[in-house]
Amino acid sequence: MKGIKLANVMILVSGLALCVLGIVLLMVDGARQRGDPPQVMPQTTEEFLAVGDELAGKHNCNFCHRTEAPATHPPDRANCQQCHQLRDRVENLAPPLKHIAERRSEEWIRRYLRYPYPVRENSRDRMPDLLLSDYEVEVFTGYLLALAGDRIAELPIFGPAREAEPDAARLARGKDLWDKHQCGTCHSLGEHIVKPMYHDNGKPVTPAQVFAPRLDLVHARVRPNWLAAAIRDPDKWLPWAAMATGAITDTEANELAWYVMNAVPDPKTGVTHDHVMAILMANCNGCHYGPQGNAPEATNPAGGAGWLGTWGAQPRRLDLMTLEGLTRGALDDLGKPRPTVVPYAENSPLLMHLNGRKQPHMPMDTHPLRADEVAKIREWIMAGAKGPKSQGGIKVNPPIEMGD
């Protein structure tokens, strides 16, 4: 009897030990899957390339992104996507990873990795949310910049600037160039809207129209010095695209780039920063407030949950109760500042969390904002997220960065 009891005890102890070991392994694997940051961030170009290659393999980036620029376009390449499209359709793979940062700014890339959204309104293709950790976002951003380093160095120093009051005569000349080179065949701009037509079998009549992006916000989406270069020589700067190569001079390319940057003025809106702040103060005041010297009894004087490090997260330092806090943004897991509102950006972080396109859906664990409230915040952001011209003698124009 004693032998049997001893055996039972040994089995019980062994079972408990295995359970504990399993839990530990799951925790370790979970941390690894989340991409929790190691002790040292890559520092050199070589380190970013090595770690970036590893992450690109882990997340299967090559399923959608070409690994090289094709010699001719449109290409015909057999790969994973050939199973999901008709053989004679223009290939809809994403651009090669090594060419992304030559036309996108560092901040745009960093935000897009966190908050992907459809850039091409006529195409259903979009980048999925890979739920990247802040460490992975930083590594991928550095990786893409390292891949494109040589090409970025080839770009001209200056590019066309967006102007508050562009010259009307110059806009008219730019419109003539737009019509002359038939840019509107594929691209939408302002009141000119391109809607692809399809054959009875579902194939687009003009495939390039499906993948050509709308250009209204190109001023906030691409490097200005890349734009004129790409218009002048698409074979070099857009070899994977179906953009036509025409006889266009350097001067025409520069003027056409300027026109695209300035053709569509900021949308007019009656929504002000005061309207937005009133919505945020009424709905976000339970968590997103900073330290208060004379805090009421029901308020934590050290700040709310959205300011402090709570629920296992790093301190975010996000204050949505003041315009200053809104424009300052939050801190990520690495302690780096992250903008909350970005002018003209469809994937502005505040908007993405409010409309449910990024988790956690805010306000957390309570009723979401009404559709009209979200619409007002979006309207304010897409009109440039303009703040007061001055506040206490200091110019205030949110937020930290530009870009859609």
Side-chain angles (χ1 to χ4, degrees):
M1 181 67 69
K2 290 183 179 180
I4 294 175
K5 288 184 176 179
L6 180 60
N8 289 341
V9 171
M10 293 178 65
I11 292 173
L12 178 61
V13 171
S14 298
L16 289 173
L18 288 173
C19 287
V20 172
L21 178 61
I23 292 173
V24 171
L25 290 175
L26 284 173
M27 293 175 64
V28 171
D29 184 65
R32 180 168 52 83
Q33 291 296 323
R34 289 194 307 272
D36 287 347
Q39 294 297 316
V40 180
M41 177 73 67
Q43 299 297 318
T44 66
T45 298
E46 292 72 20
E47 290 174 350
F48 271 108
L49 290 173
V51 181
D53 279 337
E54 183 179 344
L55 283 179
K58 170 187 172 183
H59 291 287
N60 300 310
C61 298
N62 65 310
F63 279 13
C64 296
H65 288 274
R66 297 180 180 86
T67 53
E68 76 287 327
T72 59
H73 63 269
D76 181 20
R77 176 184 174 198
N79 55 25
C80 303
Q81 288 202 355
Q82 287 300 144
C83 297
H84 301 279
Q85 63 186 32
L86 297 173
R87 186 68 182 174
D88 55 355
R89 177 185 173 191
V90 173
E91 191 181 49
N92 61 341
L93 286 176
L97 293 177
K98 70 178 183 178
H99 291 294
I100 290 175
E102 67 195 43
R103 62 175 174 155
R104 307 292 193 196
S105 71
E106 179 177 345
E107 289 305 323
W108 190 96
I109 293 170
R110 184 177 286 111
R111 187 175 67 258
Y112 187 78
L113 289 170
R114 285 194 180 101
Y115 302 98
Y117 72 106
V119 176
R120 292 165 175 78
E121 63 178 19
N122 290 328
S123 173
R124 295 181 179 180
D125 297 332
R126 66 178 295 266
M127 178 171 161
D129 188 352
L130 300 177
L131 302 177
L132 300 174
S133 69
D134 291 331
Y135 165 73
E136 290 177 318
V137 168
E138 289 303 314
V139 170
F140 264 131
T141 302
Y143 172 63
L144 295 176
L145 288 168
L147 286 175
D150 292 341
R151 300 266 291 186
I152 293 174
E154 290 186 51
L155 291 171
I157 298 176
F158 300 105
R162 182 167 172 83
E163 301 174 7
E165 298 181 2
D167 179 71
R170 191 177 181 186
L171 285 173
R173 292 193 298 270
K175 178 61 165 59
D176 290 340
L177 287 173
W178 171 275
D179 294 336
K180 172 184 176 181
H181 294 284
Q182 302 180 14
C183 306
T185 302
C186 300
H187 292 282
S188 296
L189 181 67
E191 296 179 355
H192 174 75
I193 308 297
V194 175
K195 292 293 183 182
M197 298 176 61
Y198 296 85
H199 296 293
D200 292 340
N201 59 10
K203 301 175 188 176
V205 175
T206 307
Q209 292 178 343
V210 177
F211 308 114
R214 187 181 180 92
L215 299 180
D216 294 51
L217 293 170
V218 72
H219 63 88
R221 196 166 59 228
V222 304
R223 295 177 184 267
N225 51 344
W226 175 90
L227 184 59
I231 293 174
R232 179 69 180 88
D233 191 358
D235 275 345
K236 176 177 180 178
W237 297 102
L238 287 165
W240 58 88
M243 184 167 166
T245 304
I248 185 169
T249 65
D250 289 339
T251 300
E252 286 181 326
N254 290 332
E255 286 301 300
L256 188 51
W258 180 90
Y259 172 73
V260 171
M261 292 276 287
N262 290 280
V264 182
D266 288 354
K268 295 185 181 300
T269 177
V271 181
T272 68
H273 62 280
D274 285 335
H275 295 137
V276 172
M277 291 308 303
I279 295 172
L280 297 180
M281 292 180 71
N283 293 277
C284 309
N285 59 3
C287 293
H288 295 288
Y289 60 89
Q292 300 182 13
N294 299 315
E297 187 174 338
T299 302
N300 186 345
W307 178 275
L308 302 171
T310 52
W311 302 306
Q314 298 293 328
R316 297 298 180 212
R317 300 289 190 265
L318 179 57
D319 173 19
L320 297 181
M321 298 301 99
T322 64
L323 182 61
E324 179 186 3
L326 177 64
T327 59
R328 182 175 56 241
L331 299 179
D332 65 16
D333 285 340
L334 304 178
K336 295 173 65 78
R338 179 194 302 178
T340 304
V341 170
V342 182
Y344 313 109
E346 189 71 55
N347 66 340
S348 194
L350 176 66
L351 189 60
M352 294 288 279
H353 284 288
L354 290 178
N355 63 23
R357 289 167 63 183
K358 182 71 176 184
Q359 296 300 319
H361 190 179
M362 292 292 179
M364 183 180 286
D365 297 332
T366 186
H367 299 295
L369 267 63
R370 300 193 313 268
D372 65 300
E373 293 176 320
V374 176
K376 284 183 179 179
I377 294 174
R378 181 186 182 278
E379 183 177 328
W380 176 68
I381 290 174
M382 299 310 292
K386 295 178 175 63
K389 293 182 179 179
S390 64
Q391 188 176 47
I394 301 175
K395 186 176 180 181
V396 179
N397 257 317
I400 300 170
E401 57 160 315
M402 291 277 291
D404 172 30

